[in-house]
Amino acid sequence: MAEIQKYFEQFHGIIKLNRFDENAELREKRDIVTDKLRAGLKKQFEDKDESCPKFDWFNQGSYEYDTGIQPSLKGDFDIDVGIRFHLDKNKNKPVEVKEWVYEALRNHTNKVEVCRPCVTVFYQKNNESLYHVDLAIYCQIESSCPNYLALGKSGSKPENKVWEDADPDGLKNYIKDRFSEDDKLQFKRVVRYIKRWRDVNFPSDGQAAPISIGLTLAACNWGIPKKNWEGKYNDCEALLNLTESMISSFSYRYSEADQSSANRLEIKLPVKPYQDVFKRMSNKQMETFKDKLLLLKNALQEAKTIADPHDACKILKKYFGDDFPVPSKTQAAQKTNSPGILNSGDSA
Amino acid sequence: MEVLQQNGLLKSLFFDAPQDILLSPELIDTTHDKIANVIHAKSGIRGHVTIAGLHGNISIYLPTDFPASKPVVCLDKYDSFGFVPHVDMKGEVCFCHSDNILLDRYNPEGIVQSALTMAMQTIEKGIKGENTDDFLKEFDHYWISQNHIRRAISLIDINSHPRNIYYQEDNGLLYVSDSNVAVNKAIKPKPLLSGLYLPLNDSFTVSPPRFNTSWEASYLKTLYNSLNHNKQKKLRKYLSEKAGKESLLVFSFSRPSEGKGSLGIYYKNTPVVKDTIPSCYTPVSLEREDPQHLLARGGGHKSLQGKKVALIGCGAVGGHIAFELLRCGIHQLLLVDHDKLCCENRYRHVCGHASDDYKVDVIKREIAAKYKISEKIIVEKARVQDALKKKPEIITNNDLIIVAIGDPTTSLWLNEKVFNERKKWPPVLYTWLDPLSIGGHALLTNNKGSKGCFECLFYRGTDEAPYNRASFVMPNQNFTKSLAGCASMFIPYSSMDALRTAEMASRLAIDTLLGKEHHSPLLSWKGDSTEIRDNGFLLSSRYNLSQDALFDSRYEYRFEHCRICSK
């Protein structure tokens, strides 16, 4: 077996989005956005002569789970923020609440959009997207009451404009508590690898690419910490194991979107509303997803058995992109500068 | 249970409640009862029973520690219901083995009832002839009840080959052996005499003599007639040679599911008879001390008896291995070690320390004293490097080589030598200890052509300095504690760690010799890390693997680019 853990870890070092370094700018933007929102809402409601609704905000998504990766395409940096209004879902319509947010932030940057699950604030330079802040809009009457997520936008069909059951705290705790200590670090590395694999192998627009939360939950569901005989982490084995588990979990299911059945991977949210996070992928997209997973599996298996790290990493590079390091061909053992007489604790 | 309580219990069972098993019951006057005195019973009951149509008395005695001990059930005479198995000379019925039962002390009435029922069932089977084979199981029991019985220690192999054997007498005890040299070295002045071993035909079921009686002439004739022509001829020849002199016959017979049984017949003055076995014999009871028999009883494996093992390093780990292999039936050992025992070894070597002798000599002596099989133990008082230079074949011509020297440099050197000519070498098993009770390891190599070797643990194509990656401690820590300078350097560990490592290595050795292990595993046990941590030492990542994970990954240490085993 090639000793390729070192290169996986180097790769991880390259793709990892550090919560407190690279994200500093995003954090700053997040704070500005929330401040703007607070001020904008205040003005809006003062103008209407109504009392301004209160909200709190929290981090969510990969920033919160610490599974973020550097975008392979420029401008894809994002940060997910939950905005939770303290109000009654029966007295306020979801799209109306999203419009408040839109109104409050509309003039903050050149581009603010209301999307189906969130409101997105884009930061641009010379009309090129630099990064964006996704604001998911929730409501909750008071703490300890259920949360609801605002879905839909102005043009949506009435049945798509709803407050959907949600439990962002429950989801956060589920993911954060799934593994502990050093196993958790391997879990995060594996999530980052598979997310980068997704970025390299799927088009970024539309529903073709499996969404991050789905990949993260897959790693929660099927991930098993893997170590080698020396007790050192073996990320290749862990990723292979996850890939194999995902492939074997595909089964014949009905797709609402396609109105027909096909081989699909279903990953349900572990919290309300317990729905399949991949439900928006079409049967055709699912087929592609599985094909690509099979290719990944074969690559990992091959890399695992190839003796020379150079050859193994070359294969992996095809699937994980140019950031995957490839060492030069293994040289015959070189003379080291280490001492020739060493301590040994062995005895008999 | 008090005597009064015991009597009360017997009364309530057999007098007060209606029952039709034990008729005309009466309490036994235990002070004047012979059996009650022998078994120290203070209460008992006797009554009349009918078993398979036969009538007789039966007595139930409650021992003083009843219900912690089972009741004793006796017949008036051992043959009150005919000569049946499982009834001893004094009439006690052996209705179950104490080892294999649980007495429910909260149900003493139930114990008494069960004892009576089981005893009666045993008798019934005897009367109906359903357990006749059990006579053979208990053959010795009847055989030793004969008058003038002599005892013998037997080292002969009880097999199917009729042959001459040897015996010697000392203090009335006979020593019987297949070998004409080592019957008992301690009694040299006594003459070594020849005896005859004859296995009875498997189809012949031998009947034990009744208690206190000997086989009659007619039965001995039947026995003679059961022998095939060849055996009869051998017997006639032997007896005629011994006419007027002393002689010993040893017969073996088959016992259903119990292996072979044996009996001896001795004549002080062998009579001249024709076509029979003389009836004026002295019975001999044979206590089998032959390794085949004792090993089978001790769990040893018959197919290991022909195996040869070289043990390089006879220190704390190796010393234990020598004895464990021996107890498994491996009796051809080559012991290689150049070291002498010194007083520092006293509490960590299997042989302790009585004098400053070579470790190999001390082990061989102890084997001779305890196991009487020292003739196939070869010792080599040399370093393995020198022994190999001098006569490599005495090391390579073994079924397995165990290296327990705890010196990685020499082990790596030997490992390279093995893989340079791997077909010449048998499997080689390395075993060693980690410091401070943290663990022990056993690595099998060169087994059935599989890859993976000692070098794989140290050199893995990286630019790191070599270290043993199997170890549970981080490399480059100095664990050697010196008490008085370099001469008495030692690595501290307890005897139990050595024993545990030896046990693991010995099991792997046995699995290898039996062909159960097909690859080259690295096995490890891990102990408590308190001492390591308390002394400020660092543990390796391998220590954090669970015992299951260590086992599951036992073949994964193999390094594809290994300079030694992947050439």
Side-chain angles (χ1 to χ4, degrees):
Chain A
M1 186 188 289
E3 308 258 322
I4 50 175
Q5 176 65 14
K6 189 165 132 186
Y7 305 106
F8 264 102
E9 288 183 15
Q10 278 179 15
F11 176 51
H12 180 252
I14 296 167
I15 63 171
K16 182 182 181 214
L17 191 62
N18 289 316
R19 284 182 76 172
F20 297 104
D21 303 328
E22 288 98 324
N23 270 4
E25 205 173 348
L26 281 175
R27 272 206 320 279
E28 195 187 310
K29 294 296 174 210
R30 176 199 65 197
D31 295 346
I32 292 170
V33 165
T34 52
D35 288 347
K36 281 269 177 208
L37 176 60
R38 214 175 290 279
L41 285 173
K42 197 176 167 204
K43 186 166 181 301
Q44 238 180 87
F45 282 83
E46 268 173 8
D47 291 351
K48 289 193 273 186
D49 204 14
E50 287 172 25
S51 66
C52 180
K54 288 198 171 66
F55 72 89
D56 65 303
W57 65 265
F58 51 90
N59 292 312
Q60 58 176 34
S62 64
Y63 181 85
E64 180 60 20
Y65 315 140
D66 192 23
T67 53
I69 56 167
Q70 301 276 0
S72 39
L73 288 170
K74 212 175 154 194
D76 268 2
F77 276 110
D78 73 341
I79 185 165
D80 297 313
V81 180
I83 303 290
R84 182 160 41 201
F85 285 95
H86 305 170
L87 49 78
D88 184 351
K89 73 174 174 95
N90 298 318
K91 293 179 184 161
N92 298 273
K93 290 184 172 148
V95 175
E96 185 188 326
V97 176
K98 283 169 96 172
E99 291 294 334
W100 298 344
V101 176
Y102 174 75
E103 276 303 315
L105 298 172
R106 187 161 57 100
N107 297 320
H108 174 52
T109 68
N110 289 341
K111 193 178 167 194
V112 178
E113 274 180 9
V114 178
C115 322
R116 198 186 82 91
C118 60
V119 177
T120 305
V121 181
F122 293 91
Y123 288 85
Q124 291 168 312
K125 197 176 176 182
N126 305 327
N127 275 339
E128 249 185 72
S129 182
L130 289 177
Y131 35 72
H132 61 266
V133 181
D134 282 331
L135 303 167
I137 311 301
Y138 296 91
C139 78
Q140 183 186 35
I141 296 181
E142 55 183 83
S143 61
S144 83
C145 289
N147 288 272
Y148 299 94
L149 175 68
L151 289 183
K153 50 187 182 181
S154 55
S156 304
K157 290 178 189 164
E159 66 265 29
N160 291 334
K161 296 178 184 176
V162 288
W163 287 110
E164 186 183 64
D165 285 336
D167 183 3
D169 294 329
L171 183 62
K172 178 179 84 184
N173 293 337
Y174 172 79
I175 293 171
K176 286 190 139 183
D177 297 342
R178 179 63 183 84
F179 296 98
S180 57
E181 298 179 18
D182 289 349
D183 289 350
K184 193 180 201 160
L185 296 180
Q186 188 180 51
F187 159 77
K188 289 179 185 175
R189 288 197 300 274
V190 166
V191 171
R192 288 187 173 108
Y193 300 144
I194 200 159
K195 278 166 73 172
R196 173 53 71 91
W197 164 80
R198 183 261 328 265
D199 288 353
V200 170
N201 292 277
F202 294 82
S204 59
D205 49 345
Q207 299 296 328
I211 57 174
S212 293
I213 185 65
L215 298 175
T216 308
L217 287 175
C220 286
N221 290 354
W222 299 304
I224 296 170
K226 291 281 179 184
K227 293 177 179 179
N228 73 0
W229 71 278
E230 285 183 76
K232 293 179 178 161
Y233 281 97
N234 184 340
D235 292 355
C236 183
E237 197 63 48
L239 189 56
L240 174 60
N241 172 71
L242 173 62
T243 310
E244 286 172 339
S245 299
M246 286 169 74
I247 292 166
S248 64
S249 300
F250 272 75
S251 63
Y252 203 65
R253 293 173 184 283
Y254 184 73
S255 157
E256 290 274 354
D258 284 55
Q259 303 270 304
S260 64
S261 292
N263 228 343
R264 297 180 62 86
L265 179 65
E266 182 184 81
I267 295 182
K268 285 190 167 169
L269 275 174
V271 295
K272 278 180 184 173
Y274 303 108
Q275 56 183 232
D276 176 14
V277 294
F278 290 144
K279 70 175 182 181
R280 293 168 70 83
M281 284 176 81
S282 68
N283 288 343
K284 182 78 198 146
Q285 286 164 339
M286 270 291 168
E287 197 184 321
T288 311
F289 183 20
K290 188 175 180 183
D291 289 345
K292 287 184 190 271
L293 280 173
L294 281 165
L295 292 173
L296 175 63
K297 184 191 89 167
N298 293 341
L300 291 167
Q301 270 173 340
E302 200 182 343
K304 194 178 106 165
T305 46
I306 286 177
D308 192 330
H310 168 83
D311 299 329
C313 291
K314 243 171 93 176
I315 293 169
L316 294 172
K317 190 176 181 154
K318 277 189 233 159
Y319 293 86
F320 293 101
D322 291 342
D323 285 336
F324 203 95
V326 178
S328 50
K329 273 264 180 199
T330 301
Q331 308 277 311
Q334 292 161 1
K335 261 203 151 51
T336 64
N337 292 325
S338 59
I341 298 178
L342 302 140
N343 285 318
S344 158
D346 300 351
S347 63
Chain B
M1 197 183 262
E2 297 292 324
V3 177
L4 276 175
Q5 275 179 294
Q6 291 191 351
N7 281 332
L9 183 143
L10 292 172
K11 274 187 199 159
S12 75
L13 269 175
F14 298 107
F15 291 92
D16 303 347
Q19 54 90 23
D20 54 4
I21 301 170
L22 199 66
L23 303 177
S24 321
E26 54 183 68
L27 285 176
I28 296 169
D29 173 10
T30 51
T31 47
H32 297 105
D33 186 277
K34 210 167 134 194
I35 290 177
N37 285 323
V38 172
I39 63 169
H40 306 294
K42 293 276 187 287
S43 64
I45 195 161
R46 177 180 289 116
H48 194 74
V49 291
T50 303
I51 306 171
L54 301 179
H55 308 286
N57 287 330
I58 211 163
S59 307
I60 306 163
Y61 297 91
L62 301 187
T64 42
D65 59 350
F66 177 84
S69 293
K70 67 180 194 297
V72 173
V73 182
C74 285
L75 308 179
D76 282 354
K77 272 172 62 195
Y78 76 83
D79 54 358
S80 298
F81 290 88
F83 185 44
V84 294
H86 303 295
V87 181
D88 75 6
M89 222 187 315
K90 64 180 188 292
E92 181 177 342
V93 185
C94 174
F95 57 88
C96 67
H97 281 291
S98 296
D99 300 350
N100 306 332
I101 52 165
L102 167 71
L103 299 173
D104 178 4
R105 69 186 197 278
Y106 298 111
N107 182 16
E109 294 86 355
I111 297 177
V112 175
Q113 280 170 326
S114 298
L116 179 60
T117 313
M118 289 162 86
M120 288 172 67
Q121 283 167 351
T122 304
I123 310 274
E124 186 172 351
K125 277 188 187 172
I127 295 168
K128 292 180 176 170
E130 288 168 2
N131 58 0
T132 315
D133 284 349
D134 293 357
F135 273 132
L136 293 177
K137 282 188 195 169
E138 298 183 336
F139 186 91
D140 292 349
H141 207 68
Y142 302 99
W143 189 252
I144 59 170
S145 79
Q146 295 176 88
N147 294 328
H148 314 298
I149 184 84
R150 290 196 71 163
R151 273 183 65 222
I153 304 294
S154 166
L155 292 171
I156 60 171
D157 189 2
I158 301 296
N159 57 23
S160 53
H161 308 296
R163 63 188 183 273
N164 282 337
I165 52 174
Y166 301 90
Y167 70 99
Q168 217 173 0
E169 192 230 308
D170 184 48
N171 266 338
L173 191 63
L174 297 173
Y175 290 86
V176 190
S177 169
D178 278 318
S179 158
N180 60 357
V181 283
V183 175
N184 188 342
K185 283 182 182 164
I187 47 171
K188 274 177 193 156
K190 301 274 178 167
L192 192 62
L193 301 163
S194 71
L196 181 68
Y197 170 75
L198 285 174
L200 294 175
N201 291 349
D202 284 348
S203 56
F204 181 76
T205 307
V206 68
S207 303
R210 289 197 177 202
F211 290 116
N212 297 322
T213 60
S214 293
W215 274 336
E216 288 171 8
S218 59
Y219 189 75
L220 287 161
K221 174 75 180 158
T222 310
L223 207 63
Y224 176 84
N225 289 340
S226 81
L227 297 168
N228 65 25
H229 181 69
N230 178 35
K231 289 177 194 169
Q232 286 179 350
K233 203 172 138 193
K234 271 192 184 340
L235 180 61
R236 282 198 307 270
K237 183 165 174 272
Y238 175 73
L239 290 175
S240 68
E241 278 169 14
K242 292 286 180 180
K245 292 182 274 186
E246 66 175 284
S247 62
L248 177 71
L249 302 173
V250 172
F251 293 96
S252 69
F253 53 88
S254 307
R255 289 188 292 198
S257 73
E258 289 277 314
K260 296 258 184 192
S262 58
L263 63 98
I265 283 180
Y266 172 84
Y267 301 99
K268 181 79 193 156
N269 187 351
T270 311
V272 182
V273 287
K274 210 175 167 232
D275 298 337
T276 188
I277 301 164
S279 58
C280 57
Y281 67 89
T282 304
V284 179
S285 132
L286 296 158
E287 238 167 73
R288 286 187 64 184
E289 284 195 14
D290 54 300
Q292 289 77 7
H293 176 68
L294 296 181
L295 277 167
R297 294 188 78 94
H301 210 291
K302 216 175 170 187
S303 59
L304 289 172
Q305 282 170 31
K307 302 288 184 188
K308 286 160 69 180
V309 174
L311 177 59
I312 298 167
C314 295
V317 176
H320 282 299
I321 291 176
F323 286 93
E324 289 312 321
L325 294 184
L326 207 81
R327 286 191 272 266
C328 288
I330 297 159
H331 295 165
Q332 299 180 67
L333 283 175
L334 166 70
L335 307 175
V336 182
D337 199 313
H338 69 289
D339 245 358
K340 286 181 173 180
L341 273 179
C342 58
C343 62
E344 284 169 9
N345 294 121
R346 188 165 293 159
Y347 296 112
R348 53 180 217 228
H349 196 271
V350 65
C351 298
H353 165 256
S355 59
D356 289 359
D357 286 342
Y358 283 100
K359 288 174 180 172
V360 290
D361 283 340
V362 175
I363 291 177
K364 181 170 178 167
R365 272 207 303 274
E366 200 147 317
I367 290 173
K370 288 181 173 168
Y371 301 97
K372 303 176 181 171
I373 40 167
S374 61
E375 68 266 30
K376 287 172 183 166
I377 312 292
I378 303 165
V379 297
E380 193 62 52
K381 287 165 245 181
R383 299 186 320 143
V384 59
Q385 295 93 319
D386 301 328
L388 260 177
K389 223 179 278 169
K390 214 166 69 183
K391 29 188 171 176
E393 64 288 343
I394 72 156
I395 291 179
T396 54
N397 287 350
N398 280 287
D399 296 295
L400 177 70
I401 294 168
I402 299 178
V403 183
I405 53 179
D407 160 16
T409 310
T410 308
S411 299
L412 284 164
W413 171 84
L414 184 65
N415 180 66
E416 183 170 6
K417 220 161 170 50
V418 172
F419 278 88
N420 279 343
E421 298 175 289
R422 64 181 302 178
K423 285 195 176 142
K424 267 194 186 175
W425 288 74
V428 182
L429 193 164
Y430 300 84
T431 181
W432 68 98
L433 278 161
D434 271 343
L436 296 169
S437 300
I438 195 70
H441 313 273
L443 172 73
L444 180 65
T445 66
N446 198 34
N447 185 33
K448 302 187 179 184
S450 62
K451 283 187 180 175
C453 73
F454 199 64
E455 178 103 354
C456 291
L457 302 181
F458 288 77
Y459 294 92
R460 299 189 73 88
T462 66
D463 50 9
E464 290 168 289
Y467 66 94
N468 190 340
R469 285 168 168 80
S471 178
F472 290 135
V473 291
M474 290 282 267
N476 280 319
Q477 303 180 85
N478 189 356
F479 295 93
T480 312
K481 277 189 186 172
S482 170
L483 285 182
C486 291
S488 62
M489 294 260 262
F490 72 100
I491 307 288
Y493 55 80
S494 75
S495 166
M496 279 175 278
D497 299 332
L499 180 60
R500 194 167 170 188
T501 306
E503 186 254 14
M504 184 176 68
S506 302
R507 279 180 194 274
L508 180 55
I510 300 303
D511 284 350
T512 309
L513 290 168
L514 291 176
K516 285 187 190 168
E517 178 57 66
H518 299 285
H519 302 283
S520 294
L522 165 67
L523 302 182
S524 302
W525 65 266
K526 61 174 202 169
D528 181 65
S529 62
T530 316
E531 209 167 336
I532 290 276
R533 292 179 206 274
D534 287 354
N535 283 284
F537 293 119
L538 300 172
L539 295 163
S540 71
S541 54
R542 191 161 186 259
Y543 180 79
N544 294 324
L545 290 179
S546 68
Q547 199 68 56
D548 283 349
L550 286 171
F551 183 74
D552 292 345
S553 62
R554 65 193 180 283
Y555 302 120
E556 289 172 20
Y557 70 92
R558 194 156 60 83
F559 177 49
E560 261 85 0
H561 287 310
C562 180
R563 283 180 287 205
I564 303 301
C565 68
S566 290
K567 265 191 283 195

